Amino acid sequence: MSKATDGTLVAAVIQMRSGRDVAANIDAASTLIRQAAAEGATYIQTPEMTNLLERSREELFVKIRAEREDPSVAVFAALAAELQIVLHVGSLAIRTGEDKAANRGFLFGTDGATLARYDKIHMFDVDLPNGESWRESATYQPGEEAIVVPAAGTLIGLGICYDIRFPALFRAQAGAGARVLTAPAAFTRQTGEAHWHVLQRARAIENGAFVVSAAQGGRHEDGRETYGHSLVVAPWGEVIAEVDGDAPGYALAVLDPEKADDARRRIPAIANQRSFTRVGPSGAASRTEAAE
């Protein structure tokens, strides 16, 4: 059993292999959440698309619901209250209109209240070398707000999956005081094998922050393959917890937010950041302001 000391928290990353059955996915997540809580976790994070991984747009819209009607929202809020944990549901597919959805993360407090919502900002619209093609923007409405929320005794910045490739989002959150950054994900196997660990570590190092990222792993019912390797990275860049491989499971780590402060004293990159003017080949100039 992991134990927190004064000023620390025990974080858990839940690794899943979500399929096409919403109820089965809720049950699988709930079982792992309960196991992690029994080992002392007080902040527990699940991966992107906890409730459903469905590549068919038509089938997705048959199964998803508006937030107020979504069964997973109610179950996870109640579970947070029952277990007295901060529960970060990495994301759910939530219907927002007749033909649009949100890739939406939720942070539930120890009383079950919704502390924050975050809609994924950066859409995974890519064509990969192995022939995989993804167009998230065809289904999901991108978010527009970077979220930093006080929870579990610290400030947590919310991100989702592809967001990890956009450093400005996490620098803005760190500049606002976040000492824990997050990127729960359903990373493809191809991109995960190439970039998953280095991206997580880079965001931790450059911001002097913990990065906590639960992941989907394995071959899913809709045919996609995800990388797994749910991670917790410390502010100096070392991996302090990992679910090795792509099987469902969880990993725990004790997070001391003071280590973020120490890393920022040692390398004060946020404090040293300056605005600058970018001059292009034509001589045109534009101003880039430092993140606040």
Side-chain angles (χ1 to χ4, degrees):
M1 179 177 289
S2 297
K3 293 185 178 181
T5 57
D6 288 346
T8 69
L9 64 136
V10 179
V13 283
I14 302 295
Q15 187 156 293
M16 296 181 64
R17 191 173 294 161
S18 295
R20 288 170 156 161
D21 185 326
V22 172
N25 295 331
I26 293 172
D27 287 346
S30 297
T31 296
L32 290 168
I33 290 165
R34 288 183 182 280
Q35 291 173 1
E39 289 202 40
T42 54
Y43 164 83
I44 300 177
Q45 183 191 114
T46 68
E48 181 182 26
M49 292 294 151
T50 291
N51 64 335
L52 180 67
L53 267 177
E54 175 55 76
R55 191 164 187 171
S56 165
R57 192 175 188 279
E58 182 179 57
E59 290 299 317
L60 180 78
F61 277 94
V62 169
K63 297 173 181 176
I64 63 174
R65 300 289 180 267
E67 181 180 324
R68 66 182 179 278
E69 300 166 353
D70 186 272
S72 49
V73 172
V75 168
F76 292 133
L79 191 59
E82 176 194 340
L83 299 176
Q84 293 287 286
I85 58 171
V86 173
L87 180 56
H88 180 181
V89 178
S91 85
L92 305 171
I94 297 292
R95 182 187 285 272
T96 57
E98 186 65 27
D99 62 351
K100 277 293 184 181
N103 187 340
R104 180 170 295 167
F106 292 84
L107 199 67
F108 299 110
T110 55
D111 60 356
T114 302
L115 301 178
R117 298 170 179 82
Y118 168 70
D119 288 356
K120 184 178 181 179
I121 291 174
H122 299 100
M123 298 289 97
F124 191 54
D125 290 355
V126 301
D127 299 302
L128 296 175
N130 67 349
E132 285 186 75
S133 182
W134 300 93
R135 292 291 181 273
E136 281 190 338
S137 62
T139 299
Y140 297 100
Q141 186 72 33
E144 297 182 348
E145 295 182 344
I147 303 297
V148 174
V149 59
T154 189
L155 289 175
I156 300 175
L158 305 186
I160 298 172
C161 198
Y162 192 45
D163 285 332
I164 199 71
R165 294 184 182 272
F166 298 86
L169 172 62
F170 297 94
R171 175 50 60 89
Q173 294 175 341
R179 295 188 285 181
V180 177
L181 306 174
T182 65
F187 243 62
T188 68
R189 179 171 297 280
Q190 180 183 184
T191 59
E193 288 174 345
H195 299 147
W196 174 253
H197 286 79
V198 70
L199 286 168
Q200 306 292 324
R201 296 184 67 206
R203 298 295 84 83
I205 292 166
E206 68 197 11
N207 292 300
F210 289 94
V211 175
V212 182
S213 298
Q216 296 281 355
R219 181 173 288 277
H220 300 266
E221 289 178 332
D222 70 351
R224 82 182 76 194
E225 281 192 86
T226 54
Y227 183 59
H229 292 271
S230 301
L231 292 178
V232 181
V233 183
W236 203 242
E238 65 272 29
V239 175
I240 58 173
E242 179 172 357
V243 180
D244 190 23
D246 62 14
Y250 63 92
L252 294 89
V254 177
L255 275 56
D256 181 356
E258 287 293 329
K259 289 188 176 180
D261 298 335
D262 179 63
R264 291 172 184 179
R265 283 190 293 268
R266 293 162 77 180
I267 305 291
I270 296 173
N272 290 345
Q273 183 171 260
R274 299 185 63 200
S275 302
F276 56 89
T277 298
R278 184 182 67 225
V279 179
S282 67
S286 61
R287 187 74 174 163
T288 298
E289 298 298 331
E292 294 182 0

